[in-house]
Amino acid sequence: GLAFADIFLLTSLRHNGVGETLVFYSFQPFLVYLFSYFLWQEKLHQSQWVGVCIFCLCLIIFSFDKFQKSRMDLLYALMAFVAIILDTAGVLLSKVAYNMDLTISSVEACLFRGLGAIVALAVIGIFRPYSFCSGFKSLSTQSTWAIIGACFTGTFLSLFFYLKAVQIGSITLLTAVSVAAPLRATFFEFFYYKKKPSRVFVICFIL
């Protein structure tokens, strides 16, 4: 879920673009709910369904705006779909592990998922070698610190809080909140790059 899903996701983002890739994530909450219902008989109230649909609608509108500005390759669209399946599997397996052993903390879960990702990448490296160290050393000082900061906040801290939420909450609602992450990221981009918000962004933000 952490290694292979990211590989497929980043490949799709690189070739297809943001909109074409992220629009598939609007289906994830419904996919998670389907499995949660059969595994744990998890049900949502009517008001919760309204919230889930609004979050997904935000992503659909936001994605289609970017979708109109580029073209989609079917192969990489399929990769985005596979990324959703693998990411969903990672979330569900994390919940299964929590239910099997209630003593597991979110720190341990974060460690296990991180080690799993490292093992997966090591196996991939056997069949498709990559030079991690030389690539990292070639970066500028500013880029190096930016990547370190992104890894710590965007991978470790976010995964830590995300797994804690998986442990104690409804994973369908959690997934619905997560799919709106691109919208929140764009919100900070407007401040960082001092750009004027687009009409589509304002509509999504109101939703």
Side-chain angles (χ1 to χ4, degrees), residues 20-113:
E20 295 84 340
T21 301
L22 293 179
V23 71
F24 287 95
Y25 268 85
S26 60
F27 300 105
Q28 191 178 26
F30 304 101
L31 191 62
V32 169
Y33 179 77
L34 181 65
F35 283 99
S36 298
Y37 179 80
F38 286 106
L39 288 172
W40 306 293
Q41 288 73 53
E42 183 181 280
K43 296 180 181 180
L44 297 181
H45 301 298
Q46 187 176 2
S47 60
Q48 291 174 325
W49 271 118
V50 172
V52 169
C53 291
I54 287 175
F55 271 117
C56 293
L57 185 61
C58 281
L59 185 63
I60 291 171
I61 295 173
F62 183 74
S63 299
F64 270 108
D65 177 58
K66 293 184 176 295
F67 181 81
Q68 293 173 348
K69 300 172 184 176
S70 55
R71 294 185 299 176
M72 180 173 16
D73 187 292
L74 188 60
L75 174 63
Y76 298 112
L78 181 61
M79 285 189 174
F81 181 72
V82 171
I84 291 356
I85 299 296
L86 293 172
D87 189 65
T88 300
V91 174
L92 291 168
L93 287 170
S94 298
K95 188 70 172 181
V96 169
Y98 277 131
N99 290 341
M100 290 174 65
D101 189 348
L102 300 177
T103 63
I104 297 177
S105 68
S106 52
V107 176
E108 289 176 291
C110 195
L111 176 63
F112 291 140
R113 287 196 65 173

Side-chain angles (χ1 to χ4, degrees), residues 105-128:
S105 68
S106 52
V107 176
E108 289 176 291
C110 195
L111 176 63
F112 291 140
R113 287 196 65 173
L115 288 174
I118 292 172
V119 171
L121 291 171
V123 172
I124 293 171
I126 296 174
F127 300 97
R128 190 172 180 178

Side-chain angles (χ1 to χ4, degrees), residues 168-188:
I168 62 177
S170 165
I171 56 176
T172 303
L173 295 178
L174 171 64
T175 308
V177 173
S178 298
V179 298
L183 188 68
R184 292 188 288 273
T186 306
F187 178 79
F188 288 106

